[in-house]
Amino acid sequence: MSITDLSTAGAAPSLEMMLKFAGQRQQILAHNIANIDTPNFQGRDVDPASFQKMLGNAIDERRKGNGGAFGGLDMGSSREIQTDRQGNLKLEPGTPTDGVLYHDRNQRDLERMMQDLVENATMFRVAADLMRQQRSQLHGAIAQRV
């Protein structure tokens, strides 16, 4: 087993993609909140369900290839989510946010924006905690202290 196999073992690649997605989406959501009072500003977002579907398909394909024990994920791309061969993720927000259209032509719903922000932060926190736990187990195994 090579070091590459160790770094792509188990859930590590999917957790890494979740961290990348949540981190980039957090910037998009923060941008929407920062511009909540800007006239004519139309907030944009990336559909998390679309990402989850792409991630699920990539995991299924990995399982078909080697049983899912190790290996990277081929996420593919969509209109809003692009990946390259190195596993880099780029989000192109296109889904308009929901909200009430105000007289200044700004579409806003602060409560919904804050809910999206909290849900996204929770996804990031869960993925980070699981990744930390997996790395800790690997470190313990290497140090022979499981």
Side-chain angles (χ1 to χ4, degrees):
M1 182 176 272
S2 71
I3 196 73
T4 304
D5 292 341
L6 286 175
S7 65
T8 62
S14 56
L15 293 172
E16 182 180 346
M17 291 307 276
M18 286 176 63
L19 289 169
K20 289 177 182 179
F21 176 81
Q24 289 184 32
R25 184 168 182 244
Q26 195 79 359
Q27 292 177 347
I28 294 167
L29 296 172
H31 176 73
N32 288 344
I33 292 170
N35 287 290
I36 196 164
D37 288 329
T38 303
N40 296 320
F41 179 77
Q42 298 293 313
R44 298 279 182 230
D45 196 3
V46 179
D47 184 18
S50 174
F51 169 75
Q52 292 166 355
K53 184 176 180 179
M54 288 175 64
L55 183 62
N57 291 339
I59 291 169
D60 290 342
E61 287 299 315
R62 181 178 140 178
R63 285 183 182 144
K64 288 178 189 175
N66 63 16
F70 58 88
L73 293 174
D74 182 16
M75 288 283 292
S77 292
S78 71
R79 186 176 56 83
E80 294 181 334
I81 303 166
Q82 288 88 38
T83 57
D84 61 19
R85 296 180 84 51
Q86 290 77 32
N88 297 318
L89 188 71
K90 183 178 180 192
L91 301 182
E92 293 290 334
T95 307
T97 56
D98 294 330
V100 176
L101 187 61
Y102 284 79
H103 67 283
D104 62 359
R105 310 263 327 133
N106 186 329
Q107 187 176 3
R108 58 184 171 247
D109 183 351
L110 183 59
E111 290 81 15
R112 180 67 192 160
M113 289 179 175
M114 296 308 292
Q115 180 183 352
D116 289 343
L117 197 68
V118 169
E119 288 173 357
N120 191 68
T122 301
M123 180 170 67
F124 186 89
R125 178 51 122 357
V126 168
D129 287 346
L130 290 171
M131 180 74 91
R132 187 177 309 112
Q133 181 182 13
Q134 187 177 32
R135 299 292 181 191
S136 176
Q137 289 174 347
L138 180 60
H139 183 270
I142 291 171
Q144 298 176 353
R145 297 178 291 173
V146 178

